[in-house]
Amino acid sequence: MSLPKGLAEDVSKNLVMVARLIDEDPEGAYAYSKIALRLASRVAAVREAAGFAAYANQKYSEALAEFRAARRMTGSVDLWPVMADCERGLGRPEKALDMAGAPEVRKLDKAGQVEMRLVAAGARRDMDQLDAAIVTLQSPELASNTVQPWTARLRYAYADALLAAGREDEAREWFVKAVESDKDDSTDASDRLAAMDGVEFVDAFVEDEDDNDTVVVMDAETEVDDEVEPQDDVSVVDESDDEDDDVEDGIEDDDEIDVEAAAESAEDVVKEDVLLKEDDDKN
């Protein structure tokens, strides 16, 4: 769909803000997605970004509606796994499992099929079918020694399911494998592994009586009653970025340009960040 030049620029600006904020400030991302929707609700990229912003805020019914709208506009099956995960969020794991067995899954690329497998395993766990969840995750992708973008999350989900089923030794083995493949810290596998091994990390801030600005950092091996020598003063610099100006609504349709290309990069970032974050929350 084509939009007037000024309007297209405003829509693109808001989609970029959705992409920037969705991981650290999902509510802020949601607000920007609403502005984009008011400006260009008939643009598929806008509907998709709005869906992910709603999804990040656990507004699953709204997210599902936006994803369905985007799918109708594009005819793409790429959103099928996250649509199924919305069904999970709405308390309908059976519907998510139905979608996992639908013909659309065969049209997904490898990453999409792995994502669908993760959603299906999560639905099994929602239904207290732990053994079935474990079997669902057993796949060539899990057994492969090649590290792919989805490898860490797949191994993590498998380890987590094993742990839930009481198979701690196997779970520990797969948490180790998840850590080895998690180059960008997309999971908390290292923390889970440390917890299983009984390792505690304690950061205690002790205020010095003579200097309130002086802090002492103690680790888990430091005895509370031990006499601790004061350390150098620690100063904190507060750095913050200026917020972008709000976008004005109500621009007339004059000269037309294509907004899809302008929104494409923001859409991809939104999709990747939200899927990583939400899958970890559910499992």
Side-chain angles (χ1 to χ4, degrees):
M1 178 184 176
S2 297
L3 294 175
K5 182 177 180 180
L7 180 57
E9 291 175 351
D10 288 343
V11 171
S12 179
K13 183 187 300 183
N14 280 279
L15 293 183
V16 168
M17 291 305 300
V18 172
R20 285 182 183 176
L21 297 175
I22 200 156
D23 193 36
E24 299 299 330
D25 181 13
E27 291 184 359
Y30 181 74
Y32 276 103
S33 75
K34 284 298 188 182
I35 296 173
L37 273 176
R38 289 199 300 269
L39 294 174
S41 62
R42 290 181 292 174
V43 174
V46 171
R47 302 303 290 268
E48 185 169 335
F52 278 107
Y55 181 86
N57 285 274
Q58 299 183 3
K59 299 177 183 292
Y60 297 116
S61 180
E62 183 177 338
L64 185 57
E66 296 298 342
F67 290 144
R68 284 173 173 167
R71 183 168 180 264
R72 284 195 301 269
M73 293 175 181
T74 64
S76 172
V77 298
D78 291 349
L79 294 171
W80 196 253
V82 71
M83 290 169 63
D85 208 35
C86 285
E87 296 289 358
R88 283 186 61 206
L90 290 169
R92 302 193 290 251
E94 298 89 349
K95 177 63 176 176
L97 287 176
D98 288 343
M99 294 179 68
E104 284 82 356
V105 176
R106 292 194 294 271
K107 300 177 184 178
L108 294 169
D109 60 14
K110 180 62 68 176
Q113 290 177 2
V114 171
E115 193 64 44
M116 192 72 249
R117 190 177 293 276
L118 288 166
V119 172
R124 291 292 186 188
R125 292 190 61 174
D126 293 343
M127 300 166 67
D128 294 324
Q129 299 176 0
L130 288 176
D131 290 340
I134 291 170
V135 172
T136 299
L137 292 168
Q138 292 171 345
S139 62
E141 293 81 17
L142 179 67
S144 175
N145 291 324
T146 303
V147 175
Q148 301 289 349
W150 58 77
T151 302
R153 292 176 59 235
L154 187 58
R155 291 175 176 178
Y156 180 92
Y158 189 59
D160 193 47
L162 289 168
L163 186 60
R167 297 161 60 175
E168 294 187 9
D169 290 343
E170 294 173 85
R172 188 187 185 286
E173 175 186 349
W174 282 96
F175 275 128
V176 169
K177 292 181 178 181
V179 170
E180 293 172 348
S181 58
D182 195 358
K183 305 304 182 185
D184 57 356
D185 295 325
S186 61
T187 73
D188 65 346
S190 60
D191 293 338
R192 297 291 300 277
L193 187 61
M196 290 185 70
D197 291 342
V199 178
E200 276 188 53
F201 300 99
V202 179
D203 289 329
F205 293 89
V206 180
E207 188 176 281
D208 189 88
E209 293 181 357
D210 298 325
D211 189 352
N212 291 336
D213 293 331
T214 301
V215 299
V216 178
V217 180
M218 299 187 299
D219 60 23
E221 296 181 355
T222 304
E223 295 294 332
V224 175
D225 294 332
D226 287 348
E227 185 177 29
V228 182
E229 292 296 329
Q231 306 298 314
D232 293 336
D233 288 357
V234 177
S235 61
V236 179
V237 179
D238 184 15
E239 297 180 352
S240 58
D241 296 329
D242 293 334
E243 295 184 357
D244 284 17
D245 294 334
D246 289 339
V247 178
E248 295 295 331
D249 198 354
I251 301 176
E252 297 296 330
D253 294 349
D254 294 317
D255 298 330
E256 296 186 343
I257 68 169
D258 187 359
V259 74
E260 296 286 352
E264 183 176 354
S265 61
E267 172 189 338
D268 289 342
V269 173
V270 170
K271 183 184 299 183
E272 180 178 357
D273 285 351
V274 174
L275 287 177
L276 289 174
K277 179 179 178 182
E278 292 298 321
D279 188 67
D280 287 342
D281 289 342
K282 284 194 170 60
N283 290 324

